[in-house]
Every structure is written in C-alpha cells, then in structure tokens.
Amino acid sequence: MNKITIFSPNIYAGLHSYCSQKPQTLEQAIKDPLPSWNSGENKSAIISFVESVTDTASKDFVPEIERVAVFDNDGTLWSEQPLYFQLFFALDRIRDMAENHPEWQEQQPYQAILTNDMKTLSGFGMKELMEILMTSHAGMSTDEFEKFVTDWISSARHPHFDRPYTDLIFQPMLELLTYLRSNGFKTFIVSGGGIEFMRPWVEDVYGIPRDQVVGSSIKTELVMQGDNPVIIRKPSIDFIDDKEGKPVGIWRFIGRRPILCAGNSDGDLAMQQWTAAGEGPSMMLYVHHTDSEREFAYDRDSHVGKFDEALDVANNKGWKLISMKDDWKVIYPFELK
Amino acid sequence: MNKITIFSPNIYAGLHSYCSQKPQTLEQAIKDPLPSWNSGENKSAIISFVESVTDTASKDFVPEIERVAVFDNDGTLWSEQPLYFQLFFALDRIRDMAENHPEWQEQQPYQAILTNDMKTLSGFGMKELMEILMTSHAGMSTDEFEKFVTDWISSARHPHFDRPYTDLIFQPMLELLTYLRSNGFKTFIVSGGGIEFMRPWVEDVYGIPRDQVVGSSIKTELVMQGDNPVIIRKPSIDFIDDKEGKPVGIWRFIGRRPILCAGNSDGDLAMQQWTAAGEGPSMMLYVHHTDSEREFAYDRDSHVGKFDEALDVANNKGWKLISMKDDWKVIYPFELK
C-alpha cells in the first residue's frame, strides 16, 4: 500500500475491513467522502449536516464531545433477511448441541430445527423463540460464548448469498461511519441484537470498539471456579434494547442524546424521536429496503424489520429516507471487487 | 498559555481541569509523567508496566484497543470521607424538597435530616438509606436530575475542607489517567456510585467521557409527554455496581477485561481478581488511605471504604499498595497553587 487509505483509518481498523473494501485514496476521500452514494438530496443533506455541526462559525456548531451518532445494526448496517442473522447462529448452536441432547429428537422446538421442518418452525411464537435463544445463548461462561460467536461468524454462510454474514454489510454505511468519525463523531451501535453476539466482530467489521455497542442482554453473574472468577450467562432476560428500550439503552450506556440516528424499522422509531427531540441540530436517517435485486425489498408487511408506523412518521417529519435502490451505487463491499 | 500543557490534552479536557491544576510543560512531562508521585517502587512499577505493554518488541506488548484501565471513583479518584459525597448530595436534595413536604417534619428518615439529628442519622440502616436515595434520586426526568447534580456539584462544599467536592480529587491519579491515555489506554470509571450522579461532571474533572463511566443505576423508562419523549427515573434499583457487580458491569458496559485496575476498598476486590485472572500482563493498584494529616487515614474498620479482606489479598498477591502518605507528594490539585 503506497497510498494512504482512508477506510478504517484508526487503530480499530481490522484485517477484515482492509480485505473486504476497495481502499480509497486520500485524494478521492477529500473529493467525495461518500463515493458509494449517488448524488442527490440525501447525500447532500448528510454532507451539509456534517459540515454545519463541525463549522465553528456555524450557528449549528456542535462541540466534538457531543457528536454522538447511533446506528441500528440489523437492516441498517448489515442485512437481516430472511431471518435476523443472530437467529441463524442460534439454530446452528442448537444443531451443534444436539449430540448431547438425544431427547431433542422428539421434543419441540428442537425437533423442528433438527429436522429442518420449516412449516413447524415458521409457526413458532415468542415462547419457542425464547427457549431457542436461552438454550443457545445461556449456560456458559462469557469466554465460552465469545468463542462460539467467533467460530460461527468466521465459518457460517448466508443461505441466499452463500457468503460469510460479515460480507453482507452495507458499503455506503461503512463510508458514512468513516466520514463521521473523521469529523469527530463517536459512532455507536444501538441494536436489538445481543450485545455479546455483536462485540466479538464489530471492531474488525465496522471499526466500532466493543464498548461503543449497546444491545440486548441476558443476566450474567460472577462465579468463582476455584481461584478463578468467571462470568456466567444466565437463562434470563436482562434488557431488551428495542423500541422504547433504545433511548433507555442509549442513556444508560452512552449518557448523552445523539445528534445523528440511523435505523430502518419501527423498532428504531423511539430512538429517532428521542434524537429529534434534542435541543440542537439533529439528523434522522432511515434506510429503506427498496432493492429486490441487489438485496431485499420490504417494509410495511415484513416479519423482519417491519417499517410501517415509522415510515409514516419519517415521511411526516421530513426525516431522510434512504432508498437502497436509488441512493446507493453498491450495496455490499464485495461488489467493488 | 504559551507552552503546551499536557494535563487533559484532549478534547475532553474541560475548564475545571485547567483551572484546578498547575499545567505541566511538555518537557516536564517527558522527563517525568507522574510528577506528584514520590520516587520509589510503586512509581517505578507503574512506569515499567506502561512501557512494557506499549513496547512492540516486548513479550508483554498489548495492542492499543486492549489497553483498558478501570478506576473506582470514591476513595480512588476523589475522597470519600466522612460520607460518600453522593450521600451529601442526597441529603441536600431532601432539604431542598422539604418545602413541598411538610409531613417530613415528623416523619423519619426525613425528620433526622431536616433537624440535623446526627444520632438518629447514624443509626439508619439499609432501609432508611434506600428511602433517602430513592426519594432524592427518582421521580424526575433524566434531564431534571442532571440539572440537580450540575447545580449541586458547582455550589456545594465539603464540610471538613470547605471546598467544592471536585477540588477533592487526587492529583497523582489525574496524572496517572493522563499518562495512561497518552500511552493509548482507554480509561473508565467503574464505581459503586450512581452513574447519572457522575456523568455530568467527570468529563471536565477527570477527562473521562460520559460513555466511559460504569456505575450503579435505578430503572428508567421512556414516557411520551405529548409529542416529547422523556426518560423518567423510577424508584427501583436496576444495577448495583459494587463487589461482584463490578466485573459484571465492566463486561456489560466495556465488553473487555481490563489490564489495569485501581481501587481502594473491599468493594473493588472482585474486579481486581477478575483483572488479575486475565491471560496477559495486568496491574492491580490499591490506594491505601494512610494520610491522617492531608486526607484521612482508614482501612479495616472504616464504615466508608472498608479495606480489610482486600488488604490481605493485595498483600498476599503482591498487588501494588499505594500509600497516600508515602507515595504521593501532594494529594489534591489545590496544594500545587
């Protein structure tokens, strides 16, 4: 590499980012910080917003420490169809655990998973889902769970694209994260997904440090194993970082109201409203899944990432609706290769 | 200021730090990063540790993103006698609220506070303490609570020193925080104190951003007041960040095991043990309150900051016991003036 690359310019940049992205030279970045975004109202609005909050002469100037940007993960930074990727992880965990659970062959919800009985699986409600999540996510130490996640994320492949799940991140959003960070923003993930499911890989993939991840969690407890203190994951919900939980999670973990908020579903509406209710300037972005060819097209009727009430609010309030089909030149980093 | 100052060198440095500290020039800092520490084994050990984990040629080298340092607050970064300062805040809140609660004149635990009945006050147990905390800390929005804290911290004075509480921070620990950050460490507070009590002032006072504070919390809830989403503080404990809660809190908020941990009491023992149990190099520091003249001398029998079991463990394990009397040239920043 002879030229300075501007993707993932900091210490948090991992190997994955370098491998999966086509490096942009410094000159290109200065010319266009968002090269995978088509020119248009949305791209202009983002750049205007960043320029105004970073310009000390602007009435909208925001001190660097207050430049907090929050991003939903599923459907906002990476894809979420046909199921949340974490659910694929849970199903794979159940399959791996089945060897030690012969009783599961005749016991739901496990039987349906082990026999790939899609009809029964698709009829499962919250009760079965919670059992699947708790069985696959609890009952081990945090170190053991991290190894499960790390092994899975480096080997599992998406059923439709036949690629690692971390290939299915959105190139334009990576550029936005980098652009914001290079303008003094601190970027956070605020996801309904599990906090410990995300942390092992988000540093490499998004350049977002572990401590800048807010997510759902189960209870944990410190246990002494002999002289060795170990944190054990318990089969009990601690916090659901979704809907009204998102502003609560932001306040608990970050302690400051964001000035930029990006989401894609009704689950993000509360944090968008709370961001918008701040006193200073703010920008609310909604990724709209409009591209049935390159990704998936869905909104009001989707079982995953339902975007209905929030779509009306976004339209009414004039929040920025980002059309994946119209606003993005590429969806995934691998398209650049 | 013509010379480069090295205290609080980053954007998080606030006015308070500049006002309360005697700026050190860059040349002085290079010569001695910990000028308020007396030469000796402890100072040498800290510098050796930092040099070894930052030296890429060392077997103990630690990548920058893994350089997590956690600090207890009460008794470690600032004083905690004769009572935790947050308790003084709670008592002052009760006195301010009394105007709207005439019934408190004849009702405990309020009567004792309002009449300054120290005998009754000192007999209060956990039940009365919880009632005082909930009455003073819950039932308002997070914005309102922040204003109470900000107003109090800028006006209240310590009964013994007759100074703002934020004057009673430890100059040598400020130097350690700055030294660590200038060597790529990310510094966090991990305190049994209330997370929302600390966040409004720790950025200015310690140069630690709000999102790098872990603490105890009460439950919060998002409530729509008309069109305005507001986070309300509820009179119910959410999380106690003390003892075994500290490693749990670190894992929840930071998601990474620290390599340096500083505390001063039995409440910090679990996070010290968990830090020590990491695979790589680690440093455990215990501030020992040994200076009855300049600060307070207490350990095994103290009602605040009891340091008994942890003192034995620290001695057995060879963790660094920092004697405030012997290791520190000055205790508070105002001594430098």
Side-chain angles (χ1 to χ4, degrees), chain A residues 119-277:
Chain A
K119 185 156 170 253
T120 305
L121 269 174
S122 62
F124 283 162
M126 188 50 78
K127 181 173 164 290
E128 290 85 1
L129 189 65
M130 284 306 294
E131 181 164 345
I132 291 168
L133 280 176
M134 289 305 157
T135 301
S136 57
H137 282 63
M140 73 287 279
S141 74
T142 52
D143 290 345
E144 288 166 325
F145 184 72
E146 175 158 340
K147 186 164 175 0
F148 291 140
V149 173
T150 306
D151 289 349
W152 183 84
I153 204 86
S154 65
S155 61
R157 295 177 82 84
H158 187 273
H160 174 73
F161 287 99
D162 191 25
R163 285 181 169 274
Y165 289 95
T166 49
D167 276 10
L168 304 178
I169 56 178
F170 302 143
Q171 173 65 27
M173 296 304 272
L174 291 180
E175 293 169 7
L176 178 57
L177 287 170
T178 301
Y179 176 50
L180 291 171
R181 288 195 288 260
S182 68
N183 279 282
F185 281 77
K186 206 162 180 175
T187 54
F188 295 83
I189 291 173
V190 178
S191 169
I195 193 165
E196 292 195 42
F197 174 74
M198 295 181 281
R199 280 178 165 160
W201 52 269
V202 294
E203 286 179 350
D204 279 354
V205 171
Y206 301 133
I208 293 177
R210 286 175 176 232
D211 61 290
Q212 289 167 221
V213 178
V214 184
S216 297
S217 55
I218 61 178
K219 290 195 197 306
T220 56
E221 183 186 15
L222 191 79
V223 172
M224 294 301 291
Q225 294 183 342
D227 261 359
N228 190 31
V230 169
I231 302 178
I232 298 292
R233 292 170 58 79
K234 315 273 284 183
S236 168
I237 292 288
D238 177 58
F239 177 61
I240 303 281
D241 189 48
D242 196 30
K243 299 191 172 73
E244 282 69 28
K246 288 204 171 192
V248 169
I250 292 169
W251 189 252
R252 179 179 304 169
F253 279 75
I254 306 174
R256 177 165 265 140
R257 198 189 298 252
I259 66 166
L260 186 146
C261 182
N264 76 298
S265 77
D266 287 357
D268 303 311
L269 179 56
M271 74 166 170
Q272 296 278 18
Q273 290 172 316
W274 190 61
T275 300

Side-chain angles (χ1 to χ4, degrees), chain B residues 63-246:
Chain B
E64 190 161 331
I65 198 164
E66 294 175 18
R67 293 181 207 152
V68 168
V70 295
F71 290 78
D72 170 59
N73 185 40
D74 298 309
T76 300
L77 293 180
W78 73 352
S79 292
E80 60 183 351
Q81 295 283 5
L83 290 176
Y84 293 126
F85 296 173
Q86 188 174 357
L87 197 49
F88 285 120
F89 164 75
L91 297 178
D92 283 345
R93 280 288 309 139
I94 298 287
R95 290 184 194 111
D96 284 349
M97 295 167 77
E99 194 179 338
N100 298 318
H101 294 274
E103 73 280 10
W104 285 357
Q105 300 295 335
E106 300 178 16
Q107 184 186 325
Q108 296 295 13
Y110 307 103
Q111 187 187 43
I113 299 170
L114 301 178
T115 58
N116 215 20
D117 174 358
M118 293 309 291
K119 186 158 170 251
T120 305
L121 268 174
S122 61
F124 283 162
M126 188 51 78
K127 181 173 164 289
E128 289 84 1
L129 188 65
M130 285 305 295
E131 180 163 346
I132 292 168
L133 280 175
M134 289 304 157
T135 301
S136 56
H137 283 63
M140 72 289 277
S141 74
T142 53
D143 289 345
E144 288 166 324
F145 184 73
E146 176 158 342
K147 186 163 176 0
F148 291 139
V149 173
T150 306
D151 289 349
W152 183 84
I153 203 85
S154 65
S155 61
R157 295 177 83 84
H158 186 273
H160 173 73
F161 287 98
D162 191 24
R163 285 180 170 273
Y165 289 94
T166 50
D167 276 10
L168 304 177
I169 56 178
F170 302 143
Q171 173 66 26
M173 296 305 272
L174 291 180
E175 293 169 8
L176 178 57
L177 288 170
T178 301
Y179 176 50
L180 291 172
R181 289 195 287 261
S182 68
N183 279 280
F185 281 76
K186 206 162 178 175
T187 53
F188 294 83
I189 291 173
V190 178
S191 169
I195 193 165
E196 293 195 42
F197 174 74
M198 293 181 282
R199 279 178 165 159
W201 52 269
V202 294
E203 286 179 351
D204 280 353
V205 172
Y206 301 133
I208 293 178
R210 284 174 176 233
D211 60 290
Q212 290 168 218
V213 179
V214 184
S216 296
S217 55
I218 60 177
K219 290 195 196 306
T220 58
E221 183 186 15
L222 190 79
V223 172
M224 295 299 293
Q225 293 183 343
D227 262 359
N228 191 31
V230 169
I231 302 178
I232 297 293
R233 292 169 58 81
K234 315 273 285 184
S236 167
I237 291 288
D238 177 57
F239 177 61
I240 304 281
D241 189 49
D242 196 29
K243 300 193 171 73
E244 281 68 29
K246 288 204 171 191

Side-chain angles (χ1 to χ4, degrees), chain B residues 21-41:
Chain B
Q21 296 170 30
K22 191 173 183 177
Q24 190 190 19
T25 63
L26 187 58
E27 298 94 301
Q28 286 168 331
I30 289 166
K31 206 165 128 197
D32 183 355
L34 301 172
S36 296
W37 292 66
N38 286 315
S39 297
E41 198 195 321

